Amino acid sequence: MKKSKVTLLIVDDNDYNLMILSKMLGNQGYHILEARCGLDAITIAKSRQPDLILLDILMPDVNGYEVCTTLKNEVATQNIPIVFISAVEEPNEKVEAFSVGGVDFINKPFQLVEVLARVETHLRLSSMQCQLIEQANLLKLQNISLQRELCNISGINPREYERISESFNRNEFKVFYQPIINLQSGLINGFEALIRWQHPQRGLVLPAEFIEIIETTDLIYAVGRWVINTACQQLRIWQSYYPHLENLTISVNVSTKQLLEFNLVNYVRETLNEYNIKPQCLKLEITESTVMGDRDITLQNLYQLKALGLKFCIDDFGTGYSSLRRLTDFPIDILKIDYSFIHNAEWLIVKAIATLAFSLGKEVVLEGIETNEQLELLKSLFPNSLAMVYGQGYLFARPLDAFAASIFLEQAKTIPDLEIA
């Protein structure tokens, strides 16, 4: 950008300082605007929108801090870099200058060479920032176009993608929690975190209507991280409120795309630290198709997460096509037997899968337990291994919002035939 096209606003009630700065910077080719009080500075900045402002602090009407604050609260002027130039030397005054939005501070009496160098530096930085914003906007548009193409390839309605994305940004998605019970002790082991959509008109929308779009598109990264964060935050609340449940766990589903994300491990580590969660209290649930993906990258992330102390569970086991070899290759701790086997009373398959799990030193979660008859029959299948068997289903509780799940923890002893603590 040519200097003749760059406008500087100099604000100072001292005529001599104003004249020196205007002449020096004007000789460098800049177009100069002048203001001798704070109110004039605000008016000129709003109407002319200079590229940079040199602003004194002590002025007869409105001081420099108030001028800066006013301009930073206006959309048209909030990105204009403001360099304070003042005789004020108190450290707290300089801190105040930066806290209200100033980008630099020059002491009076000033050196002309220093002023020129600071002005040129911040103009370059401002120009680079504008370019980055333009590039970010361009990337955003390109990403929208790419997502539409992916939706078309996947047979997903782009309007549905945009609707779900907007709903997520409006905080319409909620995390519900379904209890997981140890069948030997009857104690609550933890909860599985399940995403739901609280639609303002339709009410609660189940995942079948939106989860495929999330997992197929880039939404999975933002939504996936949000679920992990929300679940860990809620677990911290429960563990703080119920000290005897310090080992209460939370299980979170993660997709193949999430496990291939290069910084997932750091995000999980930071989240655990933020909420002071013991790593073994966080379980990540993956599907059989996950371990069918890119073996090297998946293994790398799985073992790095495992090194943090997390546990892994294969969800819906028995319905996919994974090799049994991968049960030993991958750091899996738990097999979650798909609810369809219990619903269809396929007890031999349930027992065979569980026996395989026990022989490999893995625990088992039985999904879809809905009746006391199912519960008692399942207990009879594993009389010597119940310590490694957990149940989940409507018999214990449907997925609950955070408030209802908290009440469940308070009133758990009222559940029939189970001594829940």
Side-chain angles (χ1 to χ4, degrees), residues 99-276:
S99 67
V100 297
V103 297
D104 207 343
F105 194 103
I106 301 174
N107 291 312
K108 291 181 180 179
F110 50 81
Q111 298 293 324
L112 296 179
V113 174
E114 179 187 9
V115 173
L116 181 60
R118 301 284 185 94
V119 166
E120 291 179 345
T121 296
H122 288 293
L123 286 172
R124 283 197 300 270
L125 290 174
S126 179
S127 176
M128 291 171 62
Q129 184 180 30
C130 290
Q131 292 176 30
L132 288 174
I133 292 173
E134 290 178 2
Q135 291 175 2
N137 291 333
L138 179 61
L139 287 173
K140 184 177 180 181
L141 292 174
Q142 290 175 340
N143 183 57
I144 292 174
S145 177
L146 176 60
Q147 291 307 316
R148 286 175 177 170
E149 290 182 18
L150 289 174
C151 286
N152 291 330
I153 294 172
S154 305
I156 295 173
N157 188 334
R159 291 183 179 178
E160 285 296 305
Y161 163 80
E162 292 173 3
R163 186 165 68 94
I164 292 172
S165 178
E166 291 169 359
S167 298
F168 175 68
N169 291 331
R170 289 196 298 266
N171 299 316
E172 292 178 7
F173 285 90
K174 308 296 179 186
V175 175
F176 278 50
Y177 304 89
Q178 189 170 33
I180 299 174
I181 311 298
N182 181 264
L183 296 194
Q184 181 181 66
S185 66
L187 300 176
I188 295 177
N189 176 258
F191 290 88
E192 179 183 359
L194 300 165
I195 188 171
R196 296 291 186 266
W197 181 3
Q198 190 68 51
H199 194 280
Q201 283 80 43
R202 298 170 57 195
L204 200 63
V205 180
L206 297 179
E209 295 192 37
F210 62 84
I211 199 65
E212 181 181 0
I213 293 177
I214 289 177
E215 291 185 343
T216 304
T217 66
D218 65 335
L219 288 173
I220 188 59
Y221 303 114
V223 175
R225 288 187 172 209
W226 170 76
V227 173
I228 292 173
N229 185 278
T230 303
C232 287
Q233 184 181 37
Q234 184 60 54
L235 180 61
R236 177 72 271 154
I237 293 171
W238 284 330
Q239 290 182 340
S240 299
Y241 194 76
Y242 305 104
H244 65 290
L245 297 178
E246 61 178 351
N247 293 319
L248 190 72
T249 66
I250 198 78
S251 300
V252 179
N253 292 276
V254 292
S255 71
T256 304
K257 281 188 175 182
Q258 287 174 274
L259 281 177
L260 295 176
E261 191 179 4
F262 77 95
N263 55 355
L264 174 65
V265 177
N266 286 334
Y267 179 78
V268 171
R269 181 190 294 110
E270 290 170 0
T271 303
L272 292 173
N273 290 337
E274 179 180 359
Y275 297 114
N276 193 27

Side-chain angles (χ1 to χ4, degrees), residues 279-298:
Q280 60 268 29
C281 290
L282 177 60
K283 300 179 180 180
L284 298 184
E285 297 196 5
I286 60 179
T287 62
E288 291 185 70
S289 59
T290 298
V291 296
M292 291 290 287
D294 188 309
R295 177 186 175 86
D296 292 338
I297 297 178
T298 302

Side-chain angles (χ1 to χ4, degrees), residues 286 290-296 298-299 302-303 312 314 325-333 362:
I286 60 179
T290 298
V291 296
M292 291 290 287
D294 188 309
R295 177 186 175 86
D296 292 338
T298 302
L299 270 176
L302 284 175
Y303 276 104
F312 286 95
I314 291 189
R325 166 64 64 183
R326 297 207 170 188
L327 292 181
T328 56
D329 291 344
F330 285 72
I332 304 301
D333 303 285
K362 304 182 189 308

Side-chain angles (χ1 to χ4, degrees), residues 351-410:
K351 185 170 184 177
I353 294 175
T355 301
L356 170 66
F358 300 148
S359 67
L360 296 173
K362 304 182 189 308
E363 298 176 332
V364 168
V365 175
L366 304 168
E367 294 184 288
I369 302 176
E370 298 182 354
T371 67
N372 282 309
E373 290 74 19
Q374 290 173 337
L375 176 62
E376 291 307 317
L377 196 152
L378 289 167
K379 284 184 176 181
S380 70
L381 293 178
F382 322 110
N384 301 317
S385 305
L386 283 179
M388 301 176 68
V389 181
Y390 300 85
Q392 183 177 351
Y394 289 177
L395 174 63
F396 312 123
R398 292 174 178 268
L400 308 166
D401 63 25
F403 179 74
S406 298
I407 294 177
F408 180 89
L409 285 173
E410 289 276 7

